[in-house]
Amino acid sequence: MWVQKEITLSRHPRGFHIITDHIIRELPQIKDISAGLLHIFIKHTSASLTINEDADPTVRIDFESHFNETVPENAPYYRHTLEGPDDMPAHLKSAILGSSVSIPIGGGKLILGIWQGIYLCEHRDHGGSRRIVLTVNGD
Amino acid sequence: MWVQKEITLSRHPRGFHIITDHIIRELPQIKDISAGLLHIFIKHTSASLTINEDADPTVRIDFESHFNETVPENAPYYRHTLEGPDDMPAHLKSAILGSSVSIPIGGGKLILGIWQGIYLCEHRDHGGSRRIVLTVNGD
Amino acid sequence: MWVQKEITLSRHPRGFHIITDHIIRELPQIKDISAGLLHIFIKHTSASLTINEDADPTVRIDFESHFNETVPENAPYYRHTLEGPDDMPAHLKSAILGSSVSIPIGGGKLILGIWQGIYLCEHRDHGGSRRIVLTVNGD
């Protein structure tokens, strides 16, 4: 069984945002799968996806602070500067965090640890809406 | 063909550890698969998985040193500090390295390069045991 | 439907290189798949794969500069130094960027965003040719 669906996430401000419930709502077919995988892919190079703690919101604030510190704007070695100071760091952060996550499905549910949530990582100041491809494969 | 199994890895000290043989022992079904994929997922936000050199043990020591240098404890910008100085860095390291790896299966074996091994990356001082979901899909 | 194929990429200089067209040429079977996934795996621990902007070539130059800055050669804490100053950084960069990417397939095509390309990330000065395993699964 394959399910594939492209969805649009409305504009999120720069930072890290939990989208777990949004993704699950889009995929009622998960409840029919006893064993499988969900693949989530973002069709952009300046926003990314990861999995991390979904409880204390200060974790997401610290993610934004940390990546701004280690992937700074206006680094003297950047040559790709025409699209604004937030653009090249956004490309680098996307590659470090990744453009997809995949999560096991078992017993009709996503198998996530108790503290795990899916993050949309918006690295641009004005990233606009973002397109995501959801692919489910399972029995 | 789908095989899915949740296993527990006993407590490992903070650092990088090779778990390739442990994973393979859990999945005798791999030998029946001519083409497929193994997906390995860790159900935690302060430990992660990656693939890297499994020969010289100093590589794993250098991994620990490097990530401690670039994702420091007690960074002045951290707000999520209540769970101890090793907690927020553990979340960041997990996101950078990732919560899953996937590896091709061919001819009844995991297809890994000659120097590649699967690493459990334990980012907490006292992380305890860790739960891992193994999902195999193939023909 | 499963397709699996191991290919060799000829030697690329240290840096970031777009290999999207090369991969697509190797997999004419993609055109017969209405929904599926392509998994690309590199069998090495000092080169990696990622997805990022394939338009302006200065983006790839900035990738090389940035990773050289944040994963330096000759860090005082490295113990794994016998294989040359570019070796340990190559292992670290590989783990940060990752040894695989997976991309949805839909309507007989890879589903990539308009600016997305597949990067081979060569982290060694003299990495030689690189072996890649392509695994396609779909309906």
Side-chain angles (χ1 to χ4, degrees), chain B residues 35-37 50-53 56 58-59 61-63 65-66 69 96 102 104-106 111 113 116 137-139, chain C residues 2 4 6 39 41-45 70-71 77-80 83 88 91-92 94-96 99-100 133 135 137:
Chain B
L37 288 167
T50 195
I51 292 172
N52 217 274
E53 210 217 72
D56 181 352
T58 60
V59 170
I61 295 171
D62 289 356
F63 264 77
S65 304
H66 178 76
E69 183 79 15
I96 293 166
S102 52
I105 299 170
I111 303 178
Q116 287 182 309
N137 182 23
D139 255 357
Chain C
W2 287 88
Q4 193 170 67
E6 186 164 330
H39 181 264
F41 183 80
I42 191 161
K43 292 175 70 179
H44 301 273
T45 62
T70 57
V71 188
Y77 48 81
Y78 292 154
R79 296 199 198 174
H80 179 79
E83 295 175 53
M88 191 58 220
H91 292 310
L92 292 163
S94 292
I96 294 166
S99 55
S100 70
V133 181
T135 305
N137 182 23

Side-chain angles (χ1 to χ4, degrees), chain A residues 2 34-37 50-54 56 58-63 65-67 69-70 96-97 101-107 111-117 137-139, chain B residues 1-4 6 39 41-46 70-72 75 77-83 87-88 90-100 102 131 133 135 137:
Chain A
W2 287 89
S34 59
L37 288 166
T50 195
I51 293 172
N52 217 274
E53 210 216 72
D54 71 353
D56 181 352
T58 60
V59 170
R60 273 118 61 203
I61 295 171
D62 289 355
F63 263 77
S65 304
H66 177 76
F67 284 98
E69 183 79 14
T70 57
I96 293 166
L97 288 160
V101 292
S102 51
I103 302 170
I105 300 171
I111 303 180
L112 284 166
I114 195 164
W115 304 111
Q116 287 182 308
N137 182 22
D139 255 357
Chain B
M1 175 184 175
W2 287 89
V3 178
Q4 194 169 68
E6 185 164 330
H39 181 264
F41 182 81
I42 191 162
K43 292 175 69 179
H44 301 273
T45 62
S46 57
T70 57
V71 189
Y77 48 79
Y78 291 155
R79 296 198 198 175
H80 179 78
T81 53
L82 277 176
E83 295 175 54
D87 186 62
M88 192 58 220
H91 292 311
L92 291 163
K93 292 168 181 173
S94 294
I96 293 166
L97 288 161
S99 55
S100 69
S102 52
R131 281 174 304 151
V133 181
T135 305
N137 182 23

Side-chain angles (χ1 to χ4, degrees), chain C residues 35-99:
Chain C
L37 288 167
L38 165 62
H39 181 264
I40 314 176
F41 183 80
I42 191 161
K43 292 175 70 179
H44 301 273
T45 62
S46 57
S48 59
L49 298 169
T50 195
I51 292 171
N52 216 273
E53 209 217 73
D54 71 353
D56 182 351
T58 60
V59 170
R60 274 119 60 203
I61 296 171
D62 290 355
F63 265 76
E64 178 65 14
S65 304
H66 178 76
F67 283 98
N68 289 342
E69 183 80 15
T70 57
V71 188
E73 299 195 354
N74 303 308
Y77 48 81
Y78 292 154
R79 296 199 198 174
H80 179 79
T81 53
L82 277 175
E83 295 175 53
D86 60 323
D87 186 61
M88 191 58 220
H91 292 310
L92 292 163
K93 292 168 181 173
S94 292
I96 294 166
L97 288 160
S99 55

